[in-house]
Amino acid sequence: MLNHQMVVQVASILLAARGKTVFSGPQEDGVRVKVVASGKGFLPVVGEVYEVRGEWRWSDQYGEQLHGDGDTFRRLMPSGALLRPWLERIPGVGPERAKRLLRAFEGNLDHVFDGGVSIEKLASIIDPERPNLATRVAVAITHEWERVKGEYDAMRWLEEQGVEDPRTARTISRLLGPMAVATLSRNPYVLASVIPWTRLDPVAQRVLLKRGDVPSLPTCEARIVGATDVVMQDAVRRGHTAVAKIGFAAEVAKRLGLECSPDLSRMIISAGLKTRAIVDGSDRWRAPGCAIMEEEILARFRDMAAGLERTKVRIPPPRDLRRVLAMVERRGRDLFPEQRDAVVGLVERPISCLTGGAGTGKTTTCRAVVDLWEALGGRVELAALSGKAALRLGQGVERVGENAPPALTLHKLLMGLRKRRDGETHWGKPPDEGEPPAPGRELPALTDRTLLILDEASMIDLGQMHQVVEAMPAGCRLMLVGDAFQLPPVGFGLVFHHVVAQESVTARLQVVRRQEDSSGIPAVSKEIRSLSRLSLAPYARGRMGVSFLPAAQGRVSAAIERVVDDLGGFASGPDDLLVLAAVNRRAAQPDGTVSDLNVRLQRRAAGHGGGGGRDPDRPVVRGLLGSDFATGDPVVHLRNDYEGGLRNGTLGVVTEVDTAAGAVVCAFDGEAHRFSGGGLLDIALAYAVSCHKAQGSQARVVVISLVDAPNMDPTWLYTAVTRAVESAVIVGEERVLVDVMRRVPAFERRVTGCRFDLSGP
């Protein structure tokens, strides 16, 4: 019989082939069924609800299944999944009134607010018990309607297509504006960057199928370009700005669910080039947005390197420049010969890089560059990617306090430059007439007399560098400071790594000055940089340098506990002991992760060893994310707080807990800061931290959790080891250590569309 009818929600799609779809899901009573649907027009998405009709058939392999014609299945519209939260945002409406309006008009508000329904009727629906207020709200909505009707049309259309996430819908509406419905009806695949492909593709195919003017839906140009966009965006999310041509068409075909024949491959490449979804880059296809940024940065850097942009600061000949530097040195710290040579070369070049391994004196060299440039009559702006690094840079070049413009984060630099363009001069209220100037609160400014110094440049991604270059006027100079072997940018692209490889613009510091040569840390760091097989001394209590403690998988955290015990724990503060891990949390394998180590080491610090729960007599404050804070716990600050003088990644210690007020007092760099309520979200336990959080920090001893993870490679290990001043202990399996050292460094794995060769025209 073909008369079995039921309502089923799609929970999982078991098969999606041409002309046949198999899915399973619960009925209204919760009983789960399998449905086999024929028909090319039936393209369900997980989460949608259908009224289905068909006959039951038995399969020895799959059991009882309902077979029917999918093209006759009726999709049930969600009742206001998008419209209700959208209505709630209109001033005066709110949740309850939005529900009443949708219920009264069955989710269809077409012509309701533009005269189709009287004000009196609207008021009676909005709030029948408060007619005067309801009338005012109804009038306000009708006045607002003309402005928001385009948004409503987009929300209504998206809901009909099966998009049910309000945040996604608002993003679409904001991006496409009043033309959203027309744009999406013409080509729904423009949403490939907003909605996951597995959800978008069936919805988009349904839209095109309704139009009836697409001859071959599986290989239509819009669908091919949408899949191409997804492949390129996935590459950018992994840090690349291009993909190898070999295998590219096959990856796009995989998204389309098709075999990659030579004909399909040609169609993919042709459609991608025609619509500029890809840009030809010799042996690779470049992501179009990334290609534009790369080419604009390259053109600007080449102009600067060729001397086509002139600074208003007079740069004397090298001999005279060294005389000025000698006078600068007499007012400050003496430089080593290689640092002195570096300073002269950096000041002479319109675009330059300063690089060297950890502890080679980059900050000291920067201070001399700053002093020399200002002695020549120029001005300097300082910035770094993280707040902690910016703070250390400012301290290193002695620019702290109200009487000196501070080093800023890259984000705050760009924000300050925007404020300056809008006519503002200070962070906050400028000094009144007669008051002393406040250089520490002045907004940054880039001019043709400015030298902009960017620290942590190896971690600045393509998008961030493009914003910086856009903000620089002609004649502004740029100096990039960093170590290419440390962690690469979290975002996409590589700029510093390519520029610093060019001798014409780069000063290299070779001699390590942070760690004593006798510690052995410089030698091991050099071995890691050269990707040599490491020969490490076995761990022993009190051993200097880099040592290795074997620990089997599942026992790494326990072994680190033992090492921390040997070192006397965390009583001496974050400058004495730092524990680093590559993975924040991993439910299936928690061993050696930041979260597991924090729990274990906090318990041990409280005197519980490895097994007990919390001491009921020990005063603690429960954080909003579940962590307990007690006196003596090391903590890390999680955001930049300029008013409080705290930066993301700053390490400190809990000095006091107030259980009655639910507050803790933490000391950061010797200063007390109180956290309570929502402020507790700004701190986390720091018995262990990630390597990214630790960049810019150093400690007497560093303990390193060595677990197999995708981000564990030689650059991660190098960054971790070079945080140590006296000794570093690597804990884990020797097999993992060997594997890690065989891996290609992260920055070399990135595929980019531009190598920033500054020798070109």
Side-chain angles (χ1 to χ4, degrees):
M1 293 175 60
L2 295 174
N3 293 324
H4 292 287
Q5 182 175 314
M6 65 191 70
V7 174
V8 183
Q9 182 178 35
V10 180
S12 62
I13 297 173
L14 309 175
L15 174 69
R18 286 190 184 183
K20 186 176 182 180
T21 302
V22 181
F23 70 91
S24 68
Q27 301 177 73
E28 291 176 294
D29 60 4
V31 176
R32 198 178 186 95
V33 296
K34 286 182 183 176
V35 179
V36 179
S38 59
K40 295 181 179 179
F42 179 62
L43 301 161
V45 175
V46 171
E48 293 180 341
V49 178
Y50 285 87
E51 184 180 84
V52 302
R53 183 188 297 270
E55 65 172 349
W56 290 106
R57 297 180 189 172
W58 177 261
S59 165
D60 291 337
Q61 185 174 0
Y62 301 109
E64 197 170 39
Q65 302 175 119
L66 185 81
H67 287 248
D69 181 356
D71 292 339
T72 67
F73 291 176
R74 185 167 70 92
R75 185 161 59 88
L76 303 182
M77 293 296 105
S79 55
L82 297 184
L83 291 180
R84 192 173 78 189
W86 177 80
L87 264 178
E88 290 172 6
R89 293 169 59 235
I90 296 179
V93 178
E96 285 304 317
R97 291 167 181 167
K99 282 183 195 174
R100 291 188 195 123
L101 286 166
L102 288 172
R103 192 163 51 240
F105 299 107
E106 297 181 348
N108 186 357
L109 304 181
D110 293 345
H111 309 302
V112 170
F113 300 120
D114 56 5
V117 176
S118 68
I119 293 293
E120 292 76 13
K121 180 166 184 182
L122 275 178
S124 68
I125 294 168
I126 288 171
D127 201 333
E129 297 182 4
R130 305 170 71 185
N132 292 334
L133 174 62
T135 300
R136 290 198 299 271
V137 172
V139 170
I141 294 174
T142 55
H143 287 163
E144 181 85 351
W145 183 248
E146 197 58 39
R147 187 182 70 80
V148 300
K149 190 175 187 308
E151 286 183 18
Y152 165 76
D153 289 340
M155 293 290 176
R156 177 79 179 170
W157 187 89
L158 289 167
E159 190 167 276
E160 288 174 353
Q161 309 312 315
V163 178
E164 299 181 25
D165 177 42
R167 183 179 297 178
T168 300
R170 285 198 298 270
T171 301
I172 294 167
S173 180
R174 188 175 65 249
L175 288 174
L176 300 181
M179 299 301 293
V181 174
T183 301
L184 294 172
S185 298
R186 188 167 57 250
N187 179 13
Y189 285 101
V190 298
L191 298 180
S193 61
V194 181
I195 300 178
W197 179 257
T198 53
R199 288 189 60 84
L200 169 65
D201 190 36
V203 171
Q205 287 190 63
R206 279 204 302 253
V207 173
L208 296 181
L209 201 61
K210 284 180 186 177
R211 274 178 29 190
D213 59 353
V214 180
S216 177
L217 191 57
T219 57
C220 70
E221 183 180 277
R223 186 167 185 254
I224 287 175
V225 173
T228 300
D229 285 342
V230 170
V231 170
M232 297 305 292
Q233 288 155 10
D234 283 350
V236 172
R237 273 192 288 270
R238 296 195 303 272
H240 309 301
T241 64
V243 298
K245 285 185 176 179
I246 297 174
F248 171 72
E251 187 64 29
V252 175
K254 183 178 174 183
R255 299 282 178 171
L256 297 170
L258 303 171
E259 290 293 326
C260 188
S261 66
D263 284 345
L264 179 57
S265 181
R266 282 190 292 271
M267 291 174 66
I268 289 169
I269 302 305
S270 175
L273 290 172
K274 174 185 171 185
T275 59
R276 286 191 64 79
I278 53 176
V279 176
D280 198 349
S282 185
D283 64 339
R284 58 198 68 187
W285 297 116
R286 301 172 70 180
C290 296
I292 291 171
M293 288 189 281
E294 287 173 334
E295 292 303 320
E296 289 181 352
I297 293 172
L298 174 61
R300 184 70 186 278
F301 281 5
R302 281 181 170 175
D303 283 352
M304 294 172 70
L308 300 181
E309 295 188 10
R310 299 300 180 90
T311 177
K312 290 290 182 63
V313 176
R314 182 182 172 275
I315 310 297
R319 181 180 296 178
D320 295 337
L321 194 57
R322 287 183 180 273
R323 290 197 185 102
V324 180
L325 178 58
M327 290 188 290
V328 169
E329 280 191 77
R330 282 196 289 272
R331 300 201 302 265
R333 186 181 299 175
D334 290 341
L335 300 173
F336 292 95
E338 74 165 358
Q339 293 173 324
R340 194 173 295 118
D341 292 341
V343 171
V344 172
L346 292 164
V347 169
E348 286 181 317
R349 298 166 183 145
I351 178 171
S352 60
C353 292
L354 171 63
T355 190
T360 53
K362 294 189 292 294
T363 301
T364 300
T365 305
C366 279
R367 182 172 60 224
V369 169
V370 170
D371 292 344
L372 179 55
W373 187 256
E374 291 179 338
L376 295 173
R379 58 184 310 280
V380 176
E381 290 289 353
L382 302 167
L385 190 64
S386 73
K388 182 170 55 175
L391 183 64
R392 289 188 180 277
L393 176 63
Q395 292 169 339
V397 302
E398 298 176 351
R399 289 180 63 163
V400 293
E402 278 288 306
N403 295 321
L408 305 172
T409 63
L410 200 57
H411 172 74
K412 193 170 185 184
L413 169 73
L414 295 168
M415 181 172 65
L417 293 173
R418 286 192 293 271
K419 287 177 174 288
R420 175 77 72 173
R421 285 196 299 270
D422 291 340
E424 298 181 50
T425 58
H426 289 73
W427 300 105
K429 181 177 175 292
D432 292 328
E433 188 174 350
E435 289 185 346
R441 293 195 293 110
E442 287 183 7
L443 293 172
L446 301 181
T447 71
D448 54 10
R449 303 186 69 86
T450 304
L451 169 63
L452 173 60
I453 298 178
L454 299 181
D455 199 8
E456 282 191 331
S458 65
M459 293 187 68
I460 298 175
D461 66 32
L462 177 66
Q464 293 162 334
M465 189 66 76
H466 186 259
Q467 291 183 69
V468 170
V469 171
E470 275 195 319
M472 290 169 48
C476 178
R477 294 196 161 197
L478 178 64
M479 178 175 140
L480 305 176
V481 183
D483 181 355
F485 210 83
Q486 288 197 13
L487 295 175
V490 174
F492 57 91
L494 287 176
V495 180
F496 176 80
H497 294 75
H498 292 311
V499 177
V500 78
Q502 301 171 63
E503 298 299 327
S504 61
V505 296
T506 300
R508 302 183 189 282
L509 302 178
Q510 305 285 349
V511 181
V512 176
R513 306 187 190 282
R514 178 190 297 168
Q515 305 104 332
E516 294 295 329
D517 285 343
S518 59
S519 74
I521 294 175
V524 173
S525 302
K526 190 173 181 180
E527 286 183 357
I528 297 174
R529 290 181 74 109
S530 63
L531 305 180
S532 304
R533 184 183 177 93
L534 300 183
S535 299
L536 303 178
Y539 168 73
R541 185 173 182 173
R543 186 186 291 278
M544 298 283 285
V546 185
S547 59
F548 182 75
L549 175 62
Q553 183 176 340
R555 299 294 301 163
V556 173
S557 291
I560 289 175
E561 287 186 74
R562 171 194 150 193
V563 174
V564 170
D565 280 352
D566 288 348
L567 296 168
F570 293 84
S572 299
D575 291 338
D576 191 66
L577 174 61
L578 200 57
V579 177
L580 302 180
V583 181
N584 280 313
R585 57 179 49 83
R586 191 160 54 184
Q589 295 175 298
D591 181 54
T593 62
V594 170
S595 58
D596 185 56
L597 287 164
N598 271 314
V599 170
R600 285 170 166 267
L601 293 171
Q602 186 187 44
R603 284 178 178 172
R604 205 163 195 90
H608 297 300
R614 198 168 65 242
D615 183 349
D617 298 325
R618 185 176 184 234
V620 298
V621 168
R622 171 62 58 92
L624 299 183
L625 298 180
S627 295
D628 287 343
F629 297 103
T631 303
D633 284 343
V635 290
V636 58
H637 201 260
L638 299 177
R639 70 177 182 91
N640 293 320
D641 175 7
Y642 293 99
E643 289 186 8
L646 294 170
R647 302 296 187 268
N648 184 4
T650 301
L651 298 169
V653 63
V654 177
T655 57
E656 181 184 342
V657 297
D658 183 344
T659 54
V664 299
V665 177
C666 305
F668 292 98
D669 296 322
E671 293 189 8
H673 298 264
R674 184 180 177 88
F675 301 89
S676 62
L680 291 171
L681 289 170
D682 293 340
I683 58 174
L685 291 174
Y687 285 95
V689 295
S690 69
C691 217
H692 272 101
K693 286 289 184 197
Q695 272 200 305
S697 296
Q698 61 186 74
R700 185 180 64 83
V701 182
V702 173
V703 182
I704 300 164
S705 172
L706 186 73
V707 296
D708 200 359
N711 63 329
M712 180 71 80
D713 75 328
T715 57
W716 188 95
L717 188 61
Y718 173 83
T719 304
V721 166
T722 53
R723 300 308 91 206
V725 176
E726 292 183 6
S727 61
V729 184
I730 301 173
V731 182
E733 287 187 82
E734 188 169 359
R735 170 193 62 81
V736 175
L737 181 61
V738 172
D739 287 347
V740 165
M741 288 304 300
R742 286 175 177 165
R743 292 174 184 171
V744 177
F747 63 88
E748 290 187 8
R749 295 198 300 271
R750 292 213 171 174
V751 182
T752 60
C754 180
R755 298 196 67 81
F756 296 98
D757 179 5
L758 304 188
S759 63

